[in-house]
């Protein structure tokens, strides 16, 4: 019924920038919080940033000042602008959204397919 489709990953040199996008599609009643997670090989998944429906944001300490999360509610899309990228940012990045689908009583968590971000030194 609802899917999240990610785009924007790729290979970039240290100090460069990438912009990730995640668009929700389907029969959506409302989208609450949206966020970005990442997981590097052999490491636990971690929350990178999230954004509430009203626009308040939270960031992982190591990305604060370099990454910016934003959302376009009219397009059901969340973005992650990543600047001053470092090799330690290399990971698969996953979009997450708390969505209530049309005809459902409560929200559910949905996940994007993941997009690879590789930062070379």
């Amino acid at each position: 019924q609802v899917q999240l489709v990610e785009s924007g990953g790729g290979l970039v040199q240290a100090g460069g920038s990438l912009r990730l996008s995640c668009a929700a599609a389907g029969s959506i009643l409302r989208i609450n919080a949206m966020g970005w997670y990442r997981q590097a090989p052999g490491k636990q998944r971690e929350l990178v940033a999230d954004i509430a429906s009203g626009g308040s944001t939270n960031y992982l300490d190591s990305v604060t000042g370099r990454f910016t999360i934003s959302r376009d509610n009219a397009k059901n899309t969340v973005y992650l602008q990543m600047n001053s990228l470092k090799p330690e940012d290399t990971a698969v990045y996953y979009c997450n959204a708390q969505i209530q689908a049309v005809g459902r009583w409560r929200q559910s968590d949905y996940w994007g397919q993941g997009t690879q971000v590789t930062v070379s030194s």
Side-chain angles (χ1 to χ4, degrees), residues 15-96:
S17 298
L18 286 172
R19 191 188 196 209
L20 306 183
S21 298
C22 174
S27 298
I28 297 168
L29 180 61
R30 66 173 60 87
I31 302 178
N32 297 310
M34 306 183 82
W36 291 94
Y37 293 74
R38 69 186 183 188
Q39 187 166 22
K43 299 181 180 178
Q44 291 188 327
R45 184 185 67 182
E46 61 184 353
L47 176 66
V48 178
D50 61 14
I51 182 167
S53 60
S56 62
T57 59
N58 295 287
Y59 295 93
L60 183 67
D61 286 347
S62 62
V63 310
T64 297
R66 300 188 296 120
F67 291 11
T68 302
I69 189 170
S70 61
R71 63 193 287 168
D72 185 337
N73 291 332
K75 296 181 179 179
N76 290 336
T77 299
V78 63
Y79 306 93
L80 186 67
Q81 179 67 46
M82 303 184 293
N83 298 326
S84 301
L85 282 161
K86 304 175 180 179
E88 51 262 44
D89 296 318
T90 295
V92 177
Y93 284 69
Y94 296 93
C95 171
N96 172 267

Side-chain angles (χ1 to χ4, degrees), residues 7-13 18 20 82 85 90-91 115-119:
S7 62
L11 175 64
V12 66
Q13 293 183 356
L18 286 172
L20 306 183
M82 303 184 293
L85 282 161
T90 295
T115 185
Q116 177 70 48
V117 171
T118 302
V119 184

